[in-house]
Amino acid sequence: MRITDVRVVSKGLRIGPVLVEVETDEGITGVGSTSASVSVISALIEDESDGLRSLLIGTDPTDVNMAWRRMFASGDRGRSGEGGVAVNAMGAIDMALWDIAGKAAGLPIHKLRGGAVQDRIMVYASATAFDRGHMERTGEWRHNPTEVLVKEALENKSLGFKAMKFGWGNYFSESDYDDIEAVRDAIGPDMKLMLDLGPFAYLDGTWTVKDAIHVAERLAEYDIYFLEEALHPYDVDGFEELTLQSPIRIATGESLTTVQDFQPFIDRRALDIVQPDAQQMGLTQFARVAERAEEAGILCIPHGPWSAFLVAAHMQVLCTVTNCPMIEYPAPAVERGSGREGLVEAMHEKVIETPMVVKDGYLELPDGPGLGLGNFVHEAIDELTGRFGGDVQQ
């Protein structure tokens, strides 16, 4: 079996995951995705002179490790192995190649990896505290009112989620702590609650490690399960100090794109939870990070709820290790009222043949070959292009 084409099938979509398809001469097709600019990913993959496609045409798609080395070691995209959007493009292809390998063998990816040790994994509802519709209209980022946050949290609980996270930013006035307390009181002590600070914190030049430590100490009052991206993604020294002093778990990793990026965090135990993202780095590297974290006794709770491809890749790998207590999954209200409303749902339910199954707050292990999703539904992608093909605020 040989690769005959590698292409981006979502060029008309200006937002959302970039969808990548790998075709073979035996009619087996692999699907993958990444999170980056569609124009940049298209150029990296499809450029006629030195795109990634030119490296792979005519090669065996089931030789996934060789394909990764061929792409990663090529010096045409920087100095080889520096990460960033080049690895994002490689990661989407890598995901699709694993999908092909499984389909060719008639086995799910987890079987190719030696088999599952978990037959289901809890999902947590990934939400945002921000009023995205207001931001799109005015450019101002502000939190939803308390009653909206509480309502969304209770909605997640009613749907069977046993954990949830708010994208929160570094909004920690006393009224913000009151909001956290209101949510905690509403959902009760048994539902896990997490907060994601993200670039609001680490791109704020006045935000320091001491600020993050102070916030972590306050958040312990509300039994926050983990605090995500409290510092700049590459600040190993800062994360080591924060993790050492924080009474709650510290998590990071979504912006890292290579195993080498993660290694110092793992070696120095500079976090409690590692958060690799298969759309950022591909399934091959994602698996290596999860396994190294397992060996070090560090939890792996991956980043990213944005597509079925991403969640399926996470499930196929993390069911084979013991250090993953839950996987990120979209909350129903995560894009409600924004220009992106309906996009994430479509990326989970419509653009693939076989959606994943969540039952009673747990993701069921797919038994279909490869990722377990089947192939792209191109008509659904075309429909999304009609809805989301223009400029929409991301």
Side-chain angles (χ1 to χ4, degrees):
M1 180 164 53
R2 300 293 164 181
I3 294 173
T4 58
D5 199 9
V6 183
R7 62 196 184 101
V8 174
V9 299
S10 58
K11 291 190 183 71
L13 280 173
R14 297 293 94 187
I15 59 174
V18 180
L19 307 181
V20 174
E21 187 173 65
V22 177
E23 297 179 345
T24 70
D25 58 0
E26 294 188 11
I28 298 175
T29 300
V31 298
S33 63
T34 190
S35 297
S37 163
V38 66
S39 59
V40 172
I41 297 300
S42 295
L44 285 165
I45 290 175
E46 297 180 358
D47 184 85
E48 292 294 333
S49 59
D50 61 2
L52 294 169
R53 173 169 57 189
S54 64
L55 296 175
L56 299 175
I57 295 294
T59 64
D60 185 342
T62 65
D63 288 340
V64 183
N65 288 333
M66 181 58 73
W68 181 260
R69 181 169 179 78
R70 185 177 286 113
M71 291 188 292
F72 197 70
S74 172
D76 294 334
R77 280 149 292 278
R79 295 187 180 89
S80 301
E82 290 187 340
V85 291
V87 173
N88 295 164
M90 297 173 201
I93 296 171
D94 179 73
M95 192 185 297
L97 294 180
W98 276 102
D99 190 39
I100 289 173
K103 288 172 177 175
L107 295 171
I109 291 169
H110 68 83
K111 287 288 188 183
L112 301 183
R113 289 182 41 78
V117 296
Q118 307 185 68
D119 59 7
R120 65 175 191 164
I121 298 177
M122 188 171 76
V123 290
Y124 74 82
S126 184
T128 178
F130 292 96
D131 183 342
R132 296 199 59 153
H134 176 79
M135 184 276 296
E136 291 173 358
R137 293 188 298 272
T138 68
E140 177 192 12
W141 288 94
R142 72 178 187 189
H143 278 188
N144 281 309
T146 308
E147 59 269 20
V148 174
L149 299 177
V150 169
K151 182 179 178 181
E152 290 185 9
L154 290 174
E155 178 185 18
N156 294 329
K157 185 175 182 178
S158 72
L159 292 171
F161 288 106
K162 297 167 177 59
M164 70 164 295
K165 179 181 76 179
F166 278 118
W168 197 263
N170 58 337
Y171 287 53
F172 291 106
S173 68
E174 286 305 315
S175 64
D176 293 313
Y177 285 114
D178 289 343
D179 286 345
I180 296 169
E181 183 176 20
V183 170
R184 169 52 74 198
D185 288 345
I187 62 177
D190 296 332
M191 188 172 183
K192 291 181 171 62
L193 179 63
M194 296 82 76
L195 296 181
D196 179 2
L197 272 63
F200 292 95
Y202 65 72
L203 295 182
D204 179 348
T206 67
W207 182 259
T208 68
V209 176
K210 288 183 182 292
D211 292 321
I213 293 170
H214 174 71
V215 164
E217 290 171 344
R218 284 291 304 270
L219 292 177
E221 300 174 23
Y222 311 106
D223 192 22
I224 298 301
Y225 184 76
F226 69 68
L227 183 63
E228 178 176 332
E229 283 223 306
L231 300 169
H232 191 279
Y234 289 90
D235 185 2
V236 182
D237 292 336
F239 270 107
E240 184 177 22
E241 182 178 355
L242 174 59
T243 300
L244 182 64
Q245 298 196 41
S246 171
I248 63 175
R249 298 171 187 84
I250 299 301
T252 196
E254 67 179 79
S255 297
L256 308 183
T257 58
T258 69
V259 176
Q260 290 77 13
D261 289 342
F262 280 93
Q263 198 62 56
F265 285 92
I266 295 171
D267 289 344
R268 293 168 57 177
R269 298 186 178 275
L271 37 64
D272 298 298
I273 298 168
V274 66
Q275 292 182 297
D277 181 326
Q279 279 192 166
Q280 291 281 79
M281 63 192 315
L283 196 146
T284 296
Q285 287 199 114
F286 177 87
R288 292 172 185 167
V289 171
E291 289 164 350
R292 293 185 187 190
E294 181 183 36
E295 292 167 357
I298 294 172
L299 295 178
C300 180
I301 301 177
H303 169 267
W306 306 117
S307 75
F309 316 98
L310 175 59
V311 174
H314 291 166
M315 184 65 178
Q316 291 287 353
V317 170
L318 295 175
C319 72
T320 68
V321 295
T322 60
N323 59 330
C324 176
M326 53 185 163
I327 289 176
E328 189 168 10
Y329 198 81
V334 68
E335 293 179 334
R336 191 174 292 162
S338 77
R340 299 169 60 102
E341 187 167 355
L343 179 61
V344 169
E345 180 185 4
M347 286 292 172
H348 277 270
E349 304 290 336
K350 296 180 179 179
V351 301
I352 38 88
E353 293 174 325
T354 309
M356 302 194 73
V357 177
V358 175
K359 184 177 180 181
D360 191 31
Y362 286 82
L363 192 64
E364 300 286 324
L365 184 60
D367 57 7
L371 289 170
L373 304 174
N375 294 325
F376 286 126
V377 178
H378 290 278
E379 296 80 6
I381 297 171
D382 292 341
E383 180 183 346
L384 288 177
T385 299
R387 292 177 57 196
F388 300 104
D391 292 329
V392 178
Q393 180 72 44
Q394 296 199 56

